[in-house]
Amino acid sequence: MGALWTNCVFLLACCCGSGFGSPNRCDEVRKVFQLRQIGPIQLLPISPRPGSDLQVCMSKNLTCCTKKMEEKYQLAARRDIQNLLQMSSTSIKFLIARNVAAFQETFEVLMRQAENHTNAVLQESYRSMADQAVGPVRELFTDIGLFLLGSELSVDDLVQRFFDALFPLVYNHLINPGLSDISPGYAECVRSSRRDVRPFGGAPGLLADQISRSGVSGKLLLQALHLGIEVINTTDHLQLSRECRRALLKMHYCPHCQGLTQSKPCMGYCLNVMRGCLASMAEIDTHWREFVRSLEGLSARMHGPQDLEQVLLGVHTLLHDAVGQAQKNGPRLSAQVHKLCGPPSRKPAQSANIQHSKSRESIPLTAAIRASGDSLAVRRREFLNSLRHYRTYYGGLADQLCVSELVFGDGMSCWNGTDMVKSYTLRVVGNGIKAQSANPEVKVKEADPVINQIIDKLKHINQLLQGKSIPKLGSLDQIETGSGDVEGQYSGDCDDEDGCGGSGGGEVKRKVSRVSKMSPDVTGDHKHHHHYHHHPPVEDSEVEGRSRGLGLTGAIWVLILPCLHMLLAL
């Protein structure tokens, strides 16, 4: 009896000395649970307990976790990884969105410059008709701007419509000038005769061809950048599989159940979990690299007839020459119009001295002065130089998250999924779907269907960018682009499969929402502007320290129970 009593006193003293006998031994877990706002503090037990009801964070030791805590931890792990994904993409998304806005602004500035320059040329060379030409010129450049920014207008139609409106003005003021304007009915006949008499020669066809070629390239560039934003937004909101969610819970929060709130996963362990969870995302890598190369190829081709800036700022020259040709051929054109429409029918003359009255001041004929940094070519070059840094973004994302965010450096013990160890000893798999068949931490069944849709869109836009699937002039093949936000709705905080007793229906409802082609809402906080490059598999370094489990082993607990009974008997 004396020996048993001595042993009991020794065991109780040892346990109390290690913290296990203290009623507050889950305090650290409680603090972290509350600090990270994982769930109601009432879910925590006051002291360690057996964890027989746990589904993922199972341990032979006593635990500070309950089934409800485990459910909250799983939600927190999913939220944490999505926050990391969004943080990692902030700089690249901001880069693309900023340049979408810059390109659109540059297009609009070019429209205004080209319109003003065209009006100035008409005012300088053909003053009698310049004021009345302001409306048709404005409509021409408005339509070109709409076409560039996404409208499916026919370039040929809008150019022909402009020259139709211009011909009555040229006929009335330059070919057959009179004391007053021709009547509206006769002007309409002159308008309709323009395509038969061809007063401007090949100018309309040449202008339509130049705008189509250069405009399609500019429009395709914008469309590709919108798709780039959609790809990033979609992967930012990637819906995680059940296996991945359980693996993230095990890696991030199961150590907390054993009181290891400051632990970090081993490098190899983290790589297996993250490469498994992001296996579908890694499949984007090849197509994203090609996307960046294809944008560079398109930019290299945007010169001469495909240089939008050169074409737009050259409209005034083409128009000046076209009107001059019509004026030179005035007698022939006048005879042809007379044959089609009869003798000119004019409005009653009011006053001969109001013929050339102007409603505005003449615009001086000066070339638009632009800062070199505002030119499209310079903007494209600077943008692509920056985008090139992100060409390996998807191939190295899983590795980069482990290296920069989730893992301790060398010299510290690490969590391997069950215990604190010197290093992770299981096989570390590669990136991509095929490599996951040997993943010891995450079972990956198939590629994510939403990611497959994104890959298909990248393949399509890459063909267009490379000129392999040439869109008809004046329009582009439709590619649905938008914010790419993916909505994932779950039936509850935790799947029924996870043993959470949910409200039924663990199926995930998913869709890619389509929104208008606007620049995304990108915050101005860019503290994490990393350049993500591919990293090779990282081997675990030998780190010092052994595991420390919270709670009592089963053997010690069996020894203590008789002691407690004896104390009660006394």
Side-chain angles (χ1 to χ4, degrees):
M1 180 69 179
L4 178 60
W5 175 253
T6 300
N7 288 336
C8 288
V9 171
F10 175 76
L11 285 169
L12 288 171
C14 290
C15 291
C16 292
S18 62
F20 297 133
S22 169
N24 298 320
R25 53 187 174 268
C26 287
D27 275 0
E28 186 63 27
V29 179
R30 184 185 305 273
K31 288 178 184 177
V32 175
F33 194 84
Q34 194 169 20
L35 182 65
R36 297 192 183 183
Q37 299 181 334
I38 293 172
I41 200 67
Q42 293 81 6
L43 297 180
L44 274 80
I46 296 176
S47 59
R49 55 183 287 277
S52 58
D53 58 338
L54 300 181
Q55 301 295 313
V56 179
C57 300
M58 296 173 287
S59 172
K60 61 183 179 181
N61 300 327
L62 295 183
T63 177
C64 279
C65 284
T66 64
K67 179 182 175 182
K68 287 294 183 182
M69 285 176 63
E70 191 179 51
E71 295 173 13
K72 296 298 182 183
Y73 275 141
Q74 184 171 105
L75 291 175
R78 187 170 67 202
R79 179 192 64 205
D80 291 347
I81 197 63
Q82 289 189 329
N83 286 341
L84 281 178
L85 288 173
Q86 291 171 30
M87 185 177 67
S88 71
S89 70
T90 297
S91 56
I92 182 174
K93 186 159 60 175
F94 179 74
L95 171 68
I96 298 176
R98 183 185 61 199
N99 278 277
V100 167
F103 287 138
Q104 289 178 339
E105 181 183 1
T106 303
F107 288 166
E108 291 166 0
V109 169
L110 277 175
M111 291 299 112
R112 291 194 296 272
Q113 290 177 340
E115 179 183 344
N116 289 339
H117 209 178
T118 300
N119 283 325
V121 167
L122 292 177
Q123 192 70 245
E124 184 74 16
S125 302
Y126 308 108
R127 182 164 304 194
S128 62
M129 57 165 267
D131 288 339
Q132 288 180 283
V134 167
V137 168
R138 179 181 297 120
E139 183 179 357
L140 171 68
F141 285 103
T142 299
D143 287 345
I144 294 174
L146 291 173
F147 166 72
L148 291 175
L149 298 179
S151 170
E152 290 301 321
L153 289 172
S154 165
V155 172
D156 186 65
D157 286 349
L158 67 90
V159 169
Q160 297 295 345
R161 188 164 57 248
F162 166 71
F163 280 100
D164 285 347
L166 187 65
F167 185 40
L169 303 181
V170 173
Y171 180 82
N172 183 60
H173 293 284
L174 302 178
I175 294 176
N176 195 6
L179 297 179
S180 61
D181 291 340
I182 56 177
S183 67
Y186 196 82
E188 183 58 36
C189 183
V190 173
R191 174 196 296 266
S192 63
S193 71
R194 199 271 306 173
R195 301 193 191 193
D196 292 324
V197 301
R198 292 175 54 84
F200 305 111
L206 178 60
L207 180 59
D209 183 68
Q210 289 181 348
I211 293 174
S212 294
R213 290 182 183 279
S214 62
V216 164
S217 295
K219 190 173 182 179
L220 184 55
L221 175 64
L222 282 180
Q223 191 174 20
L225 298 188
H226 279 295
L227 180 59
I229 294 172
E230 181 184 0
V231 171
I232 297 165
N233 279 340
T234 300
T235 53
D236 274 356
H237 298 84
L238 182 69
Q239 296 303 306
L240 307 175
S241 69
R242 172 181 175 270
E243 289 288 341
C244 171
R245 298 197 306 273
R246 291 169 69 95
L248 290 172
L249 165 62
K250 188 176 180 181
M251 182 172 74
H252 285 298
Y253 288 108
C254 284
H256 290 216
C257 296
Q258 298 185 33
L260 305 171
T261 56
Q262 302 302 315
S263 69
K264 291 273 189 171
C266 301
M267 177 59 74
Y269 176 48
C270 180
L271 289 174
N272 276 342
V273 172
M274 296 308 297
R275 288 176 179 178
C277 285
L278 304 183
S280 290
M281 199 180 295
E283 297 295 315
I284 299 175
D285 179 52
T286 301
H287 310 286
W288 182 260
R289 289 170 185 256
E290 186 178 2
F291 176 68
V292 176
R293 287 195 302 269
S294 300
L295 282 172
E296 292 174 335
L298 175 70
S299 181
R301 296 194 305 272
M302 293 175 72
H303 59 82
Q306 293 194 48
D307 184 342
L308 182 63
E309 188 170 25
Q310 179 178 320
V311 168
L312 289 176
L313 296 179
V315 169
H316 71 277
T317 301
L318 185 147
L319 185 57
H320 177 274
D321 293 345
V323 174
Q325 180 181 353
Q327 189 177 26
K328 180 179 178 181
N329 296 323
R332 176 182 63 82
L333 295 173
S334 184
Q336 288 178 300
V337 170
H338 187 278
K339 184 177 180 180
L340 291 171
C341 301
S345 171
R346 299 188 177 277
K347 296 177 184 177
Q350 295 181 3
S351 174
N353 60 10
I354 66 169
Q355 177 186 354
H356 300 302
S357 64
K358 297 192 292 292
S359 60
R360 59 182 177 83
E361 293 297 323
S362 174
I363 303 176
L365 180 57
T366 56
I369 299 174
R370 305 183 314 281
S372 60
D374 291 335
S375 74
L376 279 173
V378 171
R379 283 192 181 277
R380 286 198 312 270
R381 183 166 61 252
E382 292 176 349
F383 165 66
L384 291 171
N385 285 339
S386 298
L387 185 64
R388 196 174 293 118
H389 293 297
Y390 298 95
R391 64 187 181 279
T392 60
Y393 174 74
Y394 285 106
L397 182 57
D399 298 35
Q400 186 64 30
L401 291 179
C402 286
V403 169
S404 63
E405 302 290 349
L406 303 175
V407 177
F408 276 143
D410 293 345
M412 303 188 72
S413 57
C414 57
W415 174 255
N416 70 353
T418 56
D419 213 341
M420 295 296 289
V421 296
K422 289 183 178 179
S423 65
Y424 184 71
T425 57
L426 299 181
R427 175 183 176 183
V428 178
V429 301
N431 281 294
I433 295 292
K434 291 182 179 179
Q436 303 314 307
S437 60
N439 193 327
E441 306 298 344
V442 185
K443 300 300 179 187
V444 180
K445 298 177 182 178
E446 58 185 0
D448 187 286
V450 174
I451 296 298
N452 285 341
Q453 292 176 12
I454 285 295
I455 289 175
D456 287 342
K457 291 182 180 183
L458 278 173
K459 288 179 179 178
H460 188 191
I461 200 73
N462 286 342
Q463 285 188 327
L464 293 178
L465 291 170
Q466 295 164 15
K468 294 178 181 177
S469 178
I470 301 175
K472 63 182 179 179
L473 294 181
S475 68
L476 286 172
D477 293 347
Q478 288 292 324
I479 297 180
E480 275 192 41
T481 56
S483 71
D485 290 349
V486 181
E487 299 175 1
Q489 300 176 351
Y490 292 85
S491 59
D493 289 348
C494 187
D495 289 348
D496 291 346
E497 296 177 280
D498 294 331
C500 303
S503 57
E507 179 184 356
V508 181
K509 299 178 181 178
R510 313 169 62 180
K511 66 177 181 178
V512 179
S513 61
R514 183 183 181 190
V515 301
S516 60
K517 298 180 181 179
M518 299 292 288
S519 298
D521 181 14
V522 182
T523 66
D525 185 9
H526 309 294
K527 297 178 182 178
H528 303 278
H529 288 186
H530 307 301
H531 288 172
Y532 293 91
H533 302 284
H534 177 70
H535 292 270
V538 183
E539 296 296 332
D540 285 306
S541 58
E542 288 295 322
V543 291
E544 297 299 326
R546 293 297 298 168
S547 62
R548 293 182 315 215
L550 173 78
L552 306 172
T553 64
I556 296 177
W557 188 248
V558 169
L559 289 173
I560 288 178
L561 282 176
C563 299
L564 294 177
H565 283 300
M566 185 175 69
L567 289 171
L568 290 173
L570 292 174

